[in-house]
Amino acid sequence: MKVIKIEKEKWDKGVEKLNGPLRLFGPVKDGQFHNFKELDKNQQPDLNFLNTRLSPKSTVFPQSEVMFEYSLDESREDHHIMKEIDQDYSPRAVIGIRPCDAKSFLLVKRNFDTDEYKDPYWIRAFEATTFIGLACNNPCSTCFCTSADCGPFHEEGLDLLLVDAGDYYLLKVITSKGENLLKVADWETEADADTSGETSGNIIDTLKKEAEAKITSSVVTDRLKEQISLELYQAPFWEDAAFSCINCGTCTYVCPTCWCFDIQDETHGISGVRIRNWDSCMSPLFTLHGSGHNPRGTKLHRVRQRFMHKLKYYVDKYDDGIQCVGCGRCIRLCPVNIDIRKICEIMNNYEPAACACPA
Amino acid sequence: MLGYIDKIKEISERVLKEGTVEMVIGFQKGTLPMMNEPCFVKCSGDVQRLVWDSNCGINLANYLTDRKEKIAVIAKGCDSRNIVTHIIENKIKRDQLFIIGVPCNGMIDKSKIASMFEKEIIEVVEDQNNIIVKGEGFEETLKKGDVLQENCAICIHRNPVIYDELVSDMVEEQRDVDRYEDVRRIEEMEPDKKYGFFDDLLSACIRCYACRDACPLCYCPTCFVDESRPQWVGKGQDPVDIRTFHFLRAYHCAGRCTDCGACERACPMEIKVRTFTKKLEKDCLEAYGWEAGMSLDERPPLDTFRPDDPEDFIK
Amino acid sequence: MLFKNLMEHMGIEPDRVHFSWISSAESTKFVDVVNEVTAAVKALGPNKNFIIKAA
C-alpha cells in the first residue's frame, strides 16, 4: 500500500496542475450548501463540507444529457439523420467525493454496465473519471454507511483516498488509475520515507476507527433477504409509511444510487435533440401507460416501489446488500421526514402473522 | 404553543372515541431535529403519537384532497385558510371535517437555523419564546421571533378562520407588518434586471416539484408540466422550462395562495419560491381587496365578475 | 391583469404583453390595436428573455 504525504499548501498546487490535463469536478459552495461542479481554471475544490446537497452522480450521469441530434435543414449534408452528438470524454477527476458516494457508482454500474446491455454514455464518462475520495473524519448524524456495507474511509469505487490528518493530507493510492495522477500533480513524497514517526497506515487506521465510532445511526438489513416479497408487498404498514409522502422527486434526485431516466425528444424549429433526464419513481408519470392505465396509480404504490426496489428487489437480484450506501441525503431533505432507516427496520422486522392487528 | 398538545390529544381521543371522525390528521415526532412528519391516527389509543411544536410547518390541508372519510384535522391559521379554499373548490366537504383550530405563533425556519451554525445541529428544543440549538461542543439559545419562517414572520392571520374547537385562546395578531417589501424591491427593477433576478433565484432548481407537491392548491390530477398530449413544457434543465414551471404554477395559485410557506419549506435546494406567489397575492389584495381563504361565503376573485374590477390593462 | 403583472414582474417588458377585447363588429378597433401592438413590440426590438435557445 502506497501512501503519499501532502503538505496542505502543496495540495492546492497539485490540484492546479491537474486542472488542464484533466477536467476537474469538485465541491463548490453555492449559497448555503455545497455541490459538485466542474472547476474553472484556477478554482479550488472547497473541502470544508460535511457532504454535498446533491450527490456527485451528475458528474457521470447528468440530470439532463443530450444523446442525439438531427436537422431537417437540407443544405446540411447530414440532414434527416439522427446523429449521436460529440461529448467530451477526455480524462476527468472528481475531487473530494465522499466514500459513500464513490461506492454508489459501483452500485449504479450494475444497471448501466451489464453483460447484456452497456450504456455507452455512462460507461464512457465513468471510465474517463478518476475518483479522489475525501475520508469523513466527521460524519453526520444521519450517516449510516457502516451498516450499508460502506464506511467513512471505505475504498471501493475510489482510485485515491485523501485523509485529512490535521496539518497535512495523506493520500492513499488504491488503483493504478489513481497512481497515474500523482506525477501530474507532483504529489510524490511517500509518507513512510521517514521511518522515525508513526506509519501512515496507523494514522489512517486510527482516524478511521475514530470516524466509525462517531457513526451512531444504522439500518438493520439481516432479514431482508429471507422476507417474502409478496408478503412485504401486501403488508399493511405501507398505508402508514406512505401517508405523509407528497410524491415529490427529492429523495430520488438527491440519491446517489437512483439511476432511472426518461428519454425525451425536443424540437426547435427544424432541428431537434433526443435527451435523457433523470426520472423519479415517485412521479405518477413514471409508470403511466400510453393507454392511460397506471399500474402504480397511488402514492402508496410508488412509495412502496421505491423502498422495495432499494431494500428487497435489489437485495434479491444481486445478493450483495441493499441499494443504498447510507449517505442520508433522502432523510435530511425529505420535506415530510420519511426516513429510510425507519422503513428499512419495519421491512426487516416484518412478521406477517403477527400483523393481524387492526390495520 | 407547547401546551397545546395535551388539548390536541384530548380532543382527538374524544372525537375518535365518539365516532365523530374516522381519523385524525396531525403530526408525529420526526426523526431529525426541526422535523415532524404528518401522520394519521385511527384509534383513540394511538393519539399519544401526536405532537405539536414549532416544526409543524407542512400544510395539512394538502392531506385532505378528495378524501371520503370523516376527518379531524389540526389547523393553524394558514391551514384553516387552505381548508376554506378546499371547501370552496369542492375538494372536501365542510361536514366531513372536524377542525381542531390551533392559534399559531409561527413555525421556525430549519434552513435558516442550520445555516447559522458551522457544525451539524444534533438537537433542538424549545420553550415558550426560545429555541435552544445543540450540537457537538455548542449550545445556543435563539429567540424564536428571530428564526421564524419568512412567511410566519409576516403573517397576519395566525388564528384559524374556521374551526370546530380551539385548543387555546386566540393569539394576538401581528399588526403593522409590511408584507410586500421584497415584492416592491423587485417591482422597482428594470425588466432585464428582473429577468436576471429570477434566473439567479431558480438556478439551483432540480425540478423535483416538491414545492408543487407540498402545496394544498396543487391538486390537479395531471399537472401541466406532466402533460404529454400535448407536451407544454420541456423536461430537461433548460432555464426557460424551469421558469415556465415556476411562474405558471404560481399563476395557477393566483387568488388562492395563503402564503403558508409549505412550498419554500419543502424545497430541498432552499429556493425562495414564494417570490412568485407573493406578487400575485399583493396584486389580488390591491386590485380586489382579496385575501384567500378567509370566508366560506365569498367566491375567489378569479371566478367572479364585479363591475368595478380594474380593467385598465385591456385596450 | 394578474397574468400581465406577473409576466412583467419576472422581466418581460410591459409593451410585449397586450390585452384587448374586440367585438367582431369592431374592425377599425381591431386594426388600431394591431397597429399599436406591432409598433410597441417593434420599438422594443427582438425579445432576448424567456426564449429557449435551440439546442
Side-chain angles (χ1 to χ4, degrees), chain A residues 71-87:
Chain A
S71 172
L72 306 183
D73 177 358
E74 296 195 3
S75 68
R76 279 176 57 165
E77 210 166 285
D78 57 359
H79 66 88
H80 288 83
I81 297 172
M82 189 85 138
K83 284 185 11 180
E84 204 175 311
I85 71 149
D86 290 328
Q87 296 275 28

Side-chain angles (χ1 to χ4, degrees), chain B residues 192-209:
Chain B
D192 278 349
K193 201 148 174 245
K194 284 179 180 166
Y195 198 83
F197 173 86
F198 283 100
D199 261 355
D200 292 344
L201 181 84
L202 299 176
S203 63
C205 179
I206 53 170
R207 297 187 80 170
C208 66
Y209 300 140

Side-chain angles (χ1 to χ4, degrees), chain A residues 30-102:
Chain A
D30 188 5
Q32 304 292 357
F33 44 83
H34 287 77
N35 267 331
F36 278 87
K37 294 259 161 72
E38 181 157 7
L39 301 177
D40 296 332
K41 193 81 200 140
N42 301 323
Q43 192 181 5
Q44 287 289 332
D46 178 0
L47 299 186
N48 183 28
F49 68 104
L50 291 167
N51 206 351
T52 50
R53 181 66 50 109
L54 298 175
S55 88
K57 73 175 166 186
S58 60
T59 57
V60 169
F61 174 35
Q63 178 163 11
S64 187
E65 181 176 29
V66 179
M67 305 157 83
F68 299 98
E69 62 180 352
Y70 69 86
S71 172
L72 306 183
D73 177 358
E74 296 195 3
S75 68
R76 279 176 57 165
E77 210 166 285
D78 57 359
H79 66 88
H80 288 83
I81 297 172
M82 189 85 138
K83 284 185 11 180
E84 204 175 311
I85 71 149
D86 290 328
Q87 296 275 28
D88 182 358
Y89 293 115
S90 58
R92 50 174 106 170
V94 178
I95 301 181
I97 183 173
R98 293 298 189 185
C100 55
D101 292 333

Side-chain angles (χ1 to χ4, degrees), chain A residues 32-33 35 48 50 53-54 63-64 139-142 239-240 243-244 246-250 253 262 264 266 277 285 290 299 331-339 341-342, chain B residues 23 25 28 30-32 35-40 42 49 58 62-63 67 115 118 120 122 206-210 213-214 226 229 231 234-237 241 266 268-270:
Chain A
Q32 304 292 357
F33 44 83
N35 267 331
N48 183 28
L50 291 167
R53 181 66 50 109
L54 298 175
Q63 178 163 11
S64 187
C140 306
S141 61
T142 42
E239 192 195 353
D240 209 16
F243 175 78
S244 64
I246 57 174
N247 268 181
C248 72
T250 301
Y253 286 178
D262 175 37
Q264 291 271 325
E266 284 190 10
N277 300 312
L285 214 60
K299 78 172 171 187
I331 307 172
R332 291 193 292 276
L333 295 168
C334 175
V336 294
N337 193 219
I338 291 177
D339 192 323
R341 295 170 297 184
K342 217 165 94 182
Chain B
M23 71 192 315
I25 295 182
Q28 63 186 356
T31 60
L32 294 179
M35 278 303 269
N36 287 328
E37 181 182 358
C39 73
F40 66 84
K42 282 188 174 170
R49 276 167 74 187
I58 290 293
N62 197 27
Y63 294 90
R67 290 207 81 110
S115 73
E118 273 283 298
E120 195 193 4
I122 306 292
I206 53 170
R207 297 187 80 170
C208 66
Y209 300 140
D213 298 327
D226 290 337
R229 284 180 284 184
Q231 182 161 328
K235 303 223 165 195
Q237 282 297 95
D241 288 327
M269 306 305 282
E270 297 173 33

Side-chain angles (χ1 to χ4, degrees), chain B residues 183 186-187 191-192 194-195 198 238 240-241 243-244 247 251 254 279 283-284 287 302 313-315, chain C residues 1-13 18-21 29 36 48-52:
Chain B
V183 182
I186 302 168
E187 283 169 346
D192 278 349
K194 284 179 180 166
Y195 198 83
F198 283 100
D238 190 293
V240 173
D241 288 327
R243 180 185 296 236
T244 304
F247 109 90
Y251 186 63
K279 165 67 177 165
D283 285 358
C284 277
L302 292 193
F313 69 103
I314 299 180
K315 284 196 179 66
Chain C
M1 183 203 72
L2 295 175
F3 187 76
K4 182 169 163 64
N5 286 2
L6 186 62
M7 291 289 276
E8 286 171 27
H9 195 63
M10 65 166 199
I12 307 299
E13 298 95 328
H18 298 257
F19 286 82
S20 187
W21 183 279
K29 184 178 177 191
E36 217 176 289
K48 310 180 292 294
N49 297 333
F50 212 46
I51 287 185
I52 296 195

Side-chain angles (χ1 to χ4, degrees), chain B residues 289-304:
Chain B
W290 171 260
E291 288 177 294
M294 296 303 291
S295 151
L296 284 173
D297 306 319
E298 228 180 316
R299 295 301 306 177
L302 292 193
D303 74 350
T304 44

